[in-house]
Amino acid sequence: MNTQVVISDAGPLIALAKAGALQLLRSLFGSVSITPVVLAEILPATGSFPEQNLLKQTLDEGWIHVLNTPVYQHTPLDTGLDPGEASSILAANALRSQGKRILLIMDDRAGKLQARRSGLSVMGTAGVVGLAQNRGATPAARPILEAMVRGGYFIGKAPIEAVLRSTGEW
C-alpha cells in the first residue's frame, strides 16, 4: 500500500502558524508537501507577514518540503482559483496518476470543489484541527480555531460548528 502524500495550499499553513498550531500537521501526517508556487506565497520575495519566520523554520526542519514538480503552462482549472490552489490540485493529480494516495489540505471553496471534481480527498484547516483533537495531538480544538479567526483567517461558521460538535466542544 502506498503511503499517503499530504499536499497543502498556503492558507492552511499560514492559519495554523498564526494560531501557533503548525506542528499539528507534523503530528498527524509526519510530512507535508507544497508546490513551488505555494512556497512563493508563504515566503514571498517582497513583503512579509509575522508568520514567515516560523514557516521558514519549518521548511528548514524538513518536514514541510517542496515538491519537485515541473511547472506547466496550463489553462486555469477554474477562474476562481489562485495560482497556489491550482498548482496544488495539479500536483495532487499528477502524483495520484503515479498511484499515490493523496490528501489535499485547502480551504478555498472553489479549490475544494475543483479538487473533489477531480476525485481528490480534501480536508480544510478546521478539519485538520478537529482530527488533531480527536487523535490526541491537541487537548482542544476551540482555542486553535478561535486563534485562527482572531488572526484574520476566515473559516465559515458551519465548519467550525461541525468540528466543535465532533470534538465534544460544542
Side-chain angles (χ1 to χ4, degrees):
M1 181 192 247
N2 288 329
T3 304
Q4 182 176 30
V5 177
V6 177
I7 299 174
S8 183
D9 187 28
L13 297 173
I14 294 168
L16 289 166
K18 282 181 183 287
L22 193 55
Q23 290 291 327
L24 292 180
L25 291 170
R26 186 176 195 180
S27 296
L28 290 171
F29 307 116
S31 67
V32 174
S33 299
I34 61 174
T35 67
V37 175
V38 170
L39 176 64
E41 290 179 355
I42 64 172
L43 298 178
T46 59
S48 66
F49 53 93
E51 296 75 28
Q52 268 186 307
N53 288 337
L54 177 59
L55 291 164
K56 170 95 173 77
Q57 176 188 342
T58 302
L59 283 157
D60 291 344
E61 289 171 4
W63 65 268
I64 292 181
H65 63 277
V66 181
L67 292 167
N68 191 12
T69 56
V71 178
Y72 297 103
Q73 292 294 334
H74 63 277
T75 303
L77 298 167
D78 180 317
T79 56
L81 299 184
D82 74 23
E85 293 155 2
S87 72
S88 295
I89 293 168
L90 288 169
N93 280 321
L95 289 170
R96 188 182 60 186
S97 73
Q98 297 171 14
K100 308 243 190 249
R101 289 185 315 115
I102 306 296
L103 174 63
L104 189 58
I105 301 173
M106 182 177 289
D107 286 322
D108 180 79
R109 184 177 301 188
K112 288 169 98 171
L113 181 61
Q114 179 65 49
R116 286 187 180 120
R117 279 187 199 140
S118 299
L120 295 166
S121 295
V122 184
M123 180 180 287
T125 309
V128 168
V129 173
L131 181 63
Q133 194 278 337
N134 285 326
R135 291 193 178 167
T138 186
R142 182 182 297 274
I144 297 168
L145 295 169
E146 289 174 349
M148 288 190 296
V149 171
R150 271 194 317 275
Y153 194 71
F154 176 77
I155 298 178
K157 185 177 176 180
I160 290 173
E161 288 178 4
V163 166
L164 295 178
R165 281 192 174 95
S166 77
T167 61
E169 298 176 61
W170 183 246

